[in-house]
């Protein structure tokens, strides 16, 4: 079936109607974007160069950081460039590509959180079998499946979106091509579209969220008879992951468990999802992780010694 659209491009109104405010916010977002890339890059370099961070948990943490680097490098720059340009038009194909990238990396993030929760469960509840279950080949397969799963999910969504006829006015009150602002321009019954989105994304987010929370309840219950030192180590490992889970899924559930309507807060939610969350992830995963902090300290000392010579 061919594309039924007469609309060939959309006009993005941006994050703020005031051009000066938009430029100020874009400058702030540029700083946050650079901080995100540097912070996550530091985690990747630290894990790759440190011999003490060779466990599967850090393999998945590196993958999560790499995903945040790529995501922040693709989504945020478009908004920053638009704030400095007179034209904020985006072609239909570019809009669909942006939607694909947004939902693809969001899907990878969700599946990686599931994989990391599985890793924590095995490490804490079945420590004797940990290296057998989470062997390198199994970790690579889990990572590969997260990318394939996200690609499959978003491809189905994109094929569905590409068949929707859009009508004028082709103005999107947003700084990016997000799902609901696009669906509002559809020249067909949006009630059916909203139901499909809820079934496709909303129910999935709610289900995975409760599965993750349940898995951590099981993990914490298994630690009842453990020593305070083991409790502290487990809470340090799981606590940071739970913070990311809550931050990620609260945004996801709010975004997709609703009818096809847009709210003023949607832009703030999108900023949280695309800019704030990737920036906070390195802080959340490293501030209470003694192993990562020690590895970073050694890396800085090594670099300082090299610079001294």
């Amino acid at each position: 079936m061919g594309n039924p659209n007469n609309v060939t491009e959309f006009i993005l109104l941006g994050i703020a109607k005031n051009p000066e405010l938009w430029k100020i916010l874009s400058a702030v977002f540029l700083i946050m974007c650079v901080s995100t890339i540097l912070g996550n890059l530091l985690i990747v370099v630290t894990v790759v160069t440190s011999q003490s961070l060779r466990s599967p948990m850090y393999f998945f943490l590196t993958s999560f950081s790499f995903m945040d680097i790529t995501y922040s490098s693709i989504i945020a720059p478009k908004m920053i460039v638009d704030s400095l340009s007179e034209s904020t038009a985006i072609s239909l194909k570019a809009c669909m590509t942006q939607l694909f990238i947004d939902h693809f990396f969001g899907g990878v993030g969700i599946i990686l959180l599931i994989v990391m929760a599985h890793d924590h469960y095995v490490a804490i509840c079945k420590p004797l079998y940990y290296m057998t279950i989470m062997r390198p080949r199994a970790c690579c397969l889990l990572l590969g499946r997260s990318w394939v799963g996200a690609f499959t999910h978003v491809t189905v969504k994109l094929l569905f979106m590409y068949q929707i006829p859009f009508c004028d006015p082709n103005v999107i009150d947003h700084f990016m091509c997000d799902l609901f602002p696009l669906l509002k321009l559809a020249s067909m019954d949006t009630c059916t579209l909203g139901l499909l989105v809820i079934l496709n994304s909303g129910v999935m987010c709610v289900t995975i969220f409760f599965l993750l929370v349940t898995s951590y309840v099981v993990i914490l219950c298994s630690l009842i008879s453990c020593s305070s030192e083991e409790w502290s180590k487990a809470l340090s490992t799981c606590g940071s992951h739970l913070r990311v889970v809550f931050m990620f899924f609260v945004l996801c559930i709010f975004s997709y468990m609703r009818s096809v309507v847009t709210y003023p807060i949607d832009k703030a939610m999108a900023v949280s999802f695309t800019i704030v969350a990737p920036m906070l992830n390195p802080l959340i995963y490293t501030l209470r992780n003694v192993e990562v902090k020690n590895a970073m300290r050694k890396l800085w000392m090594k670099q300082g010694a090299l610079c001294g010579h």
Side-chain angles (χ1 to χ4, degrees):
M1 180 185 276
N3 190 333
N5 287 299
N6 293 320
V7 174
T8 58
E9 67 175 17
F10 298 101
I11 307 298
L12 299 174
L13 293 184
I15 195 166
K17 293 181 179 179
N18 186 323
E20 295 303 318
L21 177 60
W22 191 358
K23 290 180 180 179
I24 293 171
L25 290 174
S26 294
V28 173
F29 295 152
L30 177 61
I31 295 170
M32 294 172 72
C33 185
V34 172
S35 301
T36 298
I37 294 171
L38 293 178
N40 283 287
L41 191 61
L42 178 60
I43 289 180
V44 172
V45 172
T46 301
V47 174
V48 170
T49 58
S50 176
Q51 293 297 321
S52 62
L53 304 178
R54 295 297 186 208
S55 69
M57 177 178 74
Y58 296 112
F59 170 75
F60 295 124
L61 177 58
T62 303
S63 302
F64 202 80
S65 294
F66 178 76
M67 182 201 72
D68 281 340
I69 291 170
T70 310
Y71 188 48
S72 298
S73 302
I74 294 172
I75 298 296
K78 167 65 178 168
M79 177 183 63
I80 295 167
V81 169
D82 282 347
S83 69
L84 303 173
S85 174
E86 292 183 4
S87 173
T88 58
I90 183 170
S91 68
L92 177 64
K93 289 184 178 179
C95 186
M96 292 300 170
T97 301
Q98 192 177 73
L99 188 68
F100 177 89
I101 292 169
D102 183 32
H103 286 261
F104 172 71
F105 283 106
V108 172
I110 286 175
I111 299 173
L112 271 179
L113 289 174
I114 299 170
V115 171
M116 292 166 78
H118 172 69
D119 174 69
H120 293 157
Y121 171 79
V122 176
I124 295 171
C125 298
K126 298 182 179 180
L128 297 178
Y129 301 98
Y130 181 66
M131 295 312 297
T132 303
I133 296 173
M134 302 301 293
R135 59 191 182 277
R137 178 180 169 80
C139 292
C140 290
L141 282 173
L142 287 170
L143 179 62
R145 286 172 182 172
S146 71
W147 286 74
V148 172
F151 181 83
T152 304
H153 172 76
V154 77
T155 299
V156 172
K157 184 178 290 184
L158 196 69
L159 289 173
F160 157 72
M161 286 294 296
Y162 204 74
Q163 301 306 317
I164 296 175
F166 296 105
C167 58
D168 288 324
N170 60 336
V171 177
I172 300 176
D173 188 12
H174 212 291
F175 62 86
M176 60 183 287
C177 287
D178 210 356
L179 194 60
F180 282 116
L182 269 174
L183 290 178
K184 278 194 71 178
L185 302 180
S187 56
M188 59 182 295
D189 182 18
T190 56
C191 292
T192 304
L193 296 177
L195 182 60
L196 290 172
V197 170
I198 291 172
L199 293 174
N200 181 267
S201 299
V203 173
M204 184 185 72
C205 286
V206 172
T207 303
I208 293 173
F209 176 68
F210 280 109
L211 286 174
L212 286 171
V213 171
T214 302
S215 69
Y216 280 103
V217 170
V218 172
I219 291 172
L220 294 176
C221 289
S222 69
L223 294 170
I224 292 176
S225 59
C226 294
S227 64
S228 58
E229 185 179 346
E230 290 175 314
W231 253 100
S232 177
K233 185 177 180 180
L235 285 175
S236 176
T237 302
C238 298
S240 59
H241 191 250
L242 271 173
R243 290 188 192 98
V244 175
V245 167
F246 274 99
M247 180 173 62
F248 200 98
F249 280 94
V250 165
L251 295 172
C252 185
I253 292 169
F254 177 83
S255 297
Y256 301 115
M257 284 297 292
R258 69 188 206 204
S259 58
V260 182
V261 290
T262 56
Y263 301 103
I265 198 174
D266 285 347
K267 293 181 184 180
M269 298 291 285
V271 168
S272 300
F273 212 104
T274 59
I275 298 175
V276 178
M279 184 187 70
L280 291 179
N281 287 342
L283 297 174
I284 292 172
Y285 278 116
T286 57
L287 283 180
R288 294 194 62 186
N289 192 309
V290 178
E291 290 178 329
V292 175
K293 286 193 288 187
N294 288 338
M296 285 182 176
R297 196 175 294 115
K298 290 178 182 178
L299 180 64
W300 283 114
M301 290 173 65
K302 184 178 179 180
Q303 291 299 316
L306 289 174
C307 292
H309 290 295

